[in-house]
Structures are given as structure tokens and as C-alpha cells.
Amino acid sequence: MLKHDKLCQNIVKYSERWYNLDKIDIIRYLLGVSIIVKDYRDLEYSKFERLQQKYVKELFNILPDGVVLVDENNIVIDANPKFLEMFKYEKGELIGQPLDMMISNDINFDEADSLTSMVKNNQLVKRDSKRCTKFKELLDVFITAMPLTLDNQVVGGIGIYKDITAKERADFLANRDPLTGIYNRRYAEKEINRLEKEDKYPISFILGDINDLKLVNDTLGIEEGNRVLKRTVEIMDDVLAKKGIISRWSGDEFLIILEDIDEYYAQNIMKQLREAFKKGKYNDEYPLNLAFGYATVTGNNRSIRESLSEADTRMNRQKLLESHQFKGASMEFLKRIMPEKGAETLEHTDRMKEICRLFGQALDLSESVMDELLLLASLHDIGKISVSEKILIKKGSLTEEEWEEIKKHPEAGYRMVKSSQELSTISEGVLYHHERYDGKGYPSGIKGKEIPLLARVIAIVDAFEVMTRGRPYKGPVSKEEALDELMRCAGTQFDPELVKLFINEINQHN
């Protein structure tokens, strides 16, 4: 009686300390009891024996891994709910059936049979393997199999099956960039830490940075930006051909880790990448521009982290040296997509630039300021890309809601050009080109000379060009009528001094 009382106390103790104990010890203990239950199931149990069986069964049922009990012939005696869930069987389908036949297939049956033989020979087995469900779906499992002995004889066995499919999937996702599928920074940092400990050289690093990704995001949307990232990874994969580890280091930066690659080969790989990206496009029109930097660690008193810093420095230096090339590409890209989006026509842009050039000469603008004015003429309405095409091409008056959406385009355009280093000089002109001289404009309501000069110039040129060109909801007017309207609005909508100069210049050049 005291023996059974002690046993019950131990079961309760194990149940309370489950997460602090080794599962193998618990299962050994539980199945020692289960054998007693099996061999003497028809006997009359005492009060303590029934209590003992109750606790064993409850623990068996709540174990987080699949557990199956077999006899000496590997015939299933019992299986817990987790095992049934994993392998998608009803208990009645399993009991009395050979375990290996139920959860193995032709490919892994011999391996499963070998494991069973080891258990019969009183061996404890631990291994990763694959088993299949009732519906022949393969599961990655970690198997712990152990013999059950009675009087020093193996009378059965127990198998504990941990589903590692989900774990591996979780580990995969934890180390991968969800958008591109390549490794993320977390994994790259782990690899760097490993390389620092292993002290094996040479190791080369290549850093790549996508130029103007934010510009694409702001003008065409996040989806287009995502396509840029995916296309970037495709090109890198083609060039590297599994030679190194590609990781997404930050939003628009990639780190390539090249083990056992010296400086000569690292430079060659970087050259191949540059050539590939010159040819590569993400939408058959807009070229992909990346700046690259590299560094190689040979173990000569320079750490991996110092080399990474050097690669970053070289990459940023290249960005600066080639910025003029990116400026041209960005401008052409933006000018091309504006008519595609219904924002403006190429004819409107060309006429704006022609008029601005005349006006700028009359204002005696410097060459650099003239360049900014012509750029502003091309991109002042870039923010309209964010406006619905239905509104932009609507024939008829706009509703109040539609007008409010239109009024958001200067701020949208400001964000777009501000995100690009080479376009940021025209950001204020884009933001303020719909302000009025009397302070009743938008988006900020500034007035007079508070409005930047180029914004005041563009406001006049744009109004003249629109009036003489016409709108979707209104036909064009003559040059004289347009100039009269400018004069009428001088001092309220437009800078009066600039209006007079503009009228004079237009009349001179017809």
C-alpha cells in the first residue's frame, strides 16, 4: 500500500514539474506503469492502482509530442492524441497494426525497420527522419525510440515523434527576407559571427545599394518597388551562381559574403555584377542602378567588421562619383511615366520648358538656376501620379472630394523628389507652385516673396500654357486672352512684377 501511495505522489510531482524534466525520463517512468496496465488490465485494481492509472493516462494524453506504444512485435498498443493528430489516424485504425507499415513508405521503410530492430536489441535511438501520414504526406520528424523492459527482457517499445516540419519552416522564415526569399540581416550577422570565430581566410564582402528605390516607391508605388528588389536578387543570383551568400542587409542594400574568395576574384565578381545591372531592367524600360563596394579579409591585423566598414565606404564613394548618371536616368524615368499615368503630356512638358527657357533668360538666371527651372518645368506636377486617372482626365467640373484629392499633389510630388538626392533641389518649387501671391493658395498658404522664385515663375508659365492648350473640361483660349487673364490676376494669384516681365517676353517672341 505504501508503495502505491509513493508511486502516485511521484506521478503528481512529475506532472507539476513536466517542463523542467527530461521527456525521456518521464516516458520511461510512465511506460513502466503502462506495461503493468497492459499485462494486468483484467485484474481488480486497488484504489491506489486506479488513481495511478488515471494520472498516467492524463499525462500521456497531454504530452506535446506524438507518442506511440508498441509490443515486442512492433504492433501498436496505444497512441496519444498528438500522435493521432500528426499522422491523421483514428485510434481504431492504428491499434493492432504494425507501426512501420502505418507511418512509413517504400522509400523509408527499410530505415524504419532498422530503427525497430535497434529498439528490440535494447538500444535507445535518436534521429531526424521522415515519416508519412495516413494520406502519404511526408513529415520531418525527430524520433526518440526506446525499449520497454520487464524482468530484463524487451517486451515492447515507445516512440516519441517531434514534428520538426513546422520548426524548420519557422527557422527558415526567421532567417529569410519574406519578400525576396534570400537571407536576411539576422542570418548574415550569424554568419559573420561564425566567420569571426573560425578564423579562416580569405573572406570577401560585396555591398550593393539600389539607387532611387525610394523614388520608385513614391512614384509608382510599393508594388513596383518590390519588383525592383526581386529583379535585383534575380540578377545577383545569376551572376553568383551559388558562389556566396546573398542577404538583404537593409531596405535597399544587399550584402554578399564570399568565403575562400580573395581580392582578385572579389573584384572580378563585382565587375560582373556591374555589367549585369547595366543590362538588367526591371520593367523593360527603367534601368537598375546599383552602387557597389567590396573588401577582403586576409587575417593580417584587420577584422571582419573593419572590412565591412571599408566595403560600405567604397560603396558610398561610388554613389557620389556616379550620381550624375543616376540623375539623368531618374529624370528620364519620371518624365516618361507622367504621360503614362495621365498626369501630363509630353507636349505640355516640352512647351513648359521652351517658355521657361525664354522667361529664365529674361530674368537673367544663372546656368545652375536655369537648369533647376527646366527640371521643375518637367516635374512640377509629378505628384499627380498619385491622383486617380479618372480625376485627371475627367471632362467636367470636379466635385469637392475630387478637388481635395487634386490639392494633395504638391505634397506628394515634394516627397517624391525630396527622396532623390539629385532632384531634391527642386523640391520647394514642386511643393509651392500652387501657392498664390495673396496667400490663398495651397498647400501652405504662404504669400508674396515668401513663395520661392522658381515656384512663382512656374505658376505663371503653367497657367499660360494650360490656358492656351486647353483642359479636358474647357477648350483653349488665344494668347491675348491668356495674357489678359494673367494681368487680371497679377497681385492676387501671381507675382505682379513677374507677370509684367512675362507678358513683355511673350509678346516679343510671339
Side-chain angles (χ1 to χ4, degrees):
M1 186 68 71
L2 292 175
K3 178 180 179 182
H4 289 300
D5 189 26
K6 179 72 171 176
L7 186 59
C8 290
Q9 291 176 9
N10 286 339
I11 292 174
V12 173
K13 179 179 69 174
Y14 277 135
S15 67
E16 291 174 345
R17 297 173 56 203
W18 164 254
Y19 288 104
N20 297 320
L21 292 174
D22 187 276
K23 294 177 186 177
I24 303 300
D25 293 337
I26 295 173
I27 295 302
R28 284 185 185 279
Y29 181 80
L30 293 178
L31 290 177
V33 178
S34 295
I35 291 298
I36 297 174
V37 174
K38 172 181 176 293
D39 288 349
Y40 301 103
R41 66 183 62 173
D42 296 324
L43 296 180
E44 188 74 20
Y45 293 112
S46 68
K47 173 183 175 181
F48 292 104
E49 286 170 329
R50 289 195 300 272
L51 183 60
Q52 164 192 309
Q53 183 183 12
K54 175 186 174 184
Y55 277 119
V56 169
K57 194 66 176 178
E58 287 180 355
L59 287 171
F60 183 68
N61 286 335
I62 66 171
L63 292 176
D65 298 328
V67 183
V68 63
L69 180 66
V70 298
D71 66 12
E72 64 273 16
N73 296 315
N74 205 38
I75 301 299
V76 178
I77 297 170
D78 201 0
N80 74 343
K82 184 62 178 179
F83 185 91
L84 300 174
E85 176 192 331
M86 285 173 59
F87 293 99
K88 301 180 181 177
Y89 280 104
E90 299 293 331
K91 184 174 284 193
E93 297 175 305
L94 276 178
I95 303 300
Q97 299 297 323
L99 177 64
D100 293 341
M101 294 292 293
M102 302 302 284
I103 63 171
S104 301
N105 57 21
D106 294 340
I107 297 175
N108 58 26
F109 182 82
D110 290 342
E111 182 262 345
D113 186 58
S114 172
L115 185 151
T116 299
S117 297
M118 294 171 68
V119 174
K120 286 182 178 179
N121 289 323
N122 204 19
Q123 297 181 51
L124 173 67
V125 179
K126 294 183 179 183
R127 68 172 58 172
D128 288 332
S129 189
K130 293 183 182 292
R131 294 292 184 267
C132 59
T133 70
K134 174 183 175 180
F135 305 106
K136 305 306 177 185
E137 301 163 331
L138 279 179
L139 295 179
D140 293 304
V141 291
F142 183 80
I143 303 173
T144 302
M146 67 191 76
L148 295 174
T149 59
L150 196 64
D151 298 330
N152 295 321
Q153 289 188 345
V154 176
V155 295
I158 180 169
I160 306 171
Y161 294 78
K162 183 177 185 64
D163 184 357
I164 60 175
T165 307
K167 180 180 182 299
E168 288 183 345
R169 188 180 299 114
D171 289 343
F172 177 88
L173 293 175
N175 291 318
R176 296 279 176 166
D177 173 48
L179 176 66
T180 61
I182 61 173
Y183 291 111
N184 57 20
R185 181 157 186 158
R186 175 178 180 268
Y187 182 84
E189 292 283 4
K190 285 165 55 177
E191 284 297 292
I192 291 168
N193 291 336
R194 175 183 65 81
L195 293 170
E196 287 177 327
K197 293 175 183 177
E198 290 183 356
D199 201 31
K200 294 180 181 178
Y201 303 105
I203 305 165
S204 292
F205 300 96
I206 296 175
L207 271 170
D209 183 288
I210 302 175
N211 295 291
D212 289 340
L213 179 62
K214 191 173 188 306
L215 181 64
V216 175
N217 286 335
D218 288 341
T219 54
L220 297 182
I222 298 297
E223 286 301 316
E224 286 298 321
N226 288 345
R227 290 190 184 97
V228 171
L229 288 164
K230 291 175 182 177
R231 181 64 182 136
T232 298
V233 170
E234 288 174 3
I235 294 173
M236 286 185 173
D237 272 336
D238 288 343
V239 172
L240 288 170
K242 310 300 181 184
K243 291 190 186 78
I245 294 172
I246 307 173
S247 65
R248 191 171 174 188
W249 193 240
S250 67
D252 55 3
E253 285 187 7
F254 297 86
L255 173 65
I256 300 170
I257 302 175
L258 300 162
E259 292 188 62
D260 200 29
I261 297 292
D262 62 22
E263 184 172 8
Y264 174 80
Y265 284 106
Q267 288 180 339
N268 187 51
I269 290 172
M270 192 170 67
K271 181 180 178 182
Q272 293 177 44
L273 286 168
R274 283 175 174 163
E275 292 174 352
F277 278 104
K278 285 180 181 178
K279 300 175 183 176
K281 299 177 180 179
Y282 87 88
N283 65 354
D284 296 326
E285 289 186 6
Y286 185 55
L288 284 168
N289 293 309
L290 275 82
F292 288 102
Y294 83 98
T296 300
V297 191
T298 59
N300 296 328
N301 299 321
R302 189 172 66 168
S303 70
I304 285 177
R305 299 288 173 177
E306 289 172 334
S307 295
L308 278 172
S309 179
E310 180 183 349
D312 185 66
T313 299
R314 286 175 170 171
M315 179 186 70
N316 289 323
R317 186 184 303 144
Q318 190 193 43
K319 270 181 89 79
L320 291 174
L321 289 173
E322 299 182 357
S323 62
H324 65 283
Q325 298 176 12
F326 305 145
K327 180 175 181 178
S330 300
M331 285 173 55
E332 291 305 314
F333 170 60
L334 290 173
K335 286 188 291 185
R336 183 169 59 249
I337 65 172
M338 284 177 67
E340 291 175 4
K341 293 289 181 177
E344 295 294 352
T345 65
L346 288 174
E347 291 79 10
H348 170 62
T349 299
D350 288 342
R351 288 184 63 189
M352 284 282 295
K353 289 171 65 177
E354 182 181 354
I355 299 169
C356 279
R357 189 182 300 277
L358 291 174
F359 200 9
Q361 290 171 352
L363 290 168
D364 198 25
L365 298 180
S366 67
E367 185 177 343
S368 63
V369 177
M370 178 70 86
D371 288 343
E372 289 182 17
L373 178 59
L374 297 179
L375 186 56
L376 185 58
S378 298
L379 301 178
H380 63 285
D381 273 335
I382 186 64
K384 286 185 178 178
I385 292 173
S386 64
V387 179
S388 168
E389 286 185 35
K390 292 181 180 179
I391 297 176
L392 294 175
I393 63 175
K394 182 178 179 179
K395 294 181 179 180
S397 300
L398 299 178
T399 65
E400 185 176 344
E401 292 77 14
E402 290 169 339
W403 179 240
E404 287 302 317
E405 184 174 349
I406 283 282
K407 289 170 68 175
K408 294 177 183 177
H409 83 269
E411 292 173 287
Y414 173 79
R415 290 192 296 270
M416 292 175 191
V417 297
K418 192 69 174 177
S419 67
S420 176
Q421 182 178 357
E422 64 270 14
L423 301 178
S424 61
T425 56
I426 65 167
S427 59
E428 286 194 347
V430 171
L431 179 62
Y432 297 126
H433 75 280
H434 278 294
E435 299 290 354
R436 289 171 53 106
Y437 201 75
D438 60 7
K440 296 180 180 179
Y442 62 90
S444 301
I446 58 176
K447 62 182 180 179
K449 296 299 191 291
E450 294 175 355
I451 306 170
L453 172 62
L454 296 190
R456 283 178 277 144
V457 169
I458 284 292
I460 295 170
V461 175
D462 192 27
F464 176 79
E465 207 287 316
V466 167
M467 284 189 285
T468 54
R469 171 173 51 96
R471 304 171 178 83
Y473 54 88
K474 187 176 181 180
V477 301
S478 67
K479 179 190 75 171
E480 290 72 22
E481 290 174 309
L483 294 179
D484 287 344
E485 181 65 15
L486 290 177
M487 180 57 72
R488 188 181 70 81
C489 297
T492 54
Q493 185 173 350
F494 308 113
D495 183 328
E497 295 177 8
L498 291 179
V499 168
K500 290 178 183 178
L501 184 61
F502 179 79
I503 293 174
N504 181 61
E505 192 68 20
I506 293 296
N507 285 327
Q508 284 188 24
H509 291 83
N510 196 23

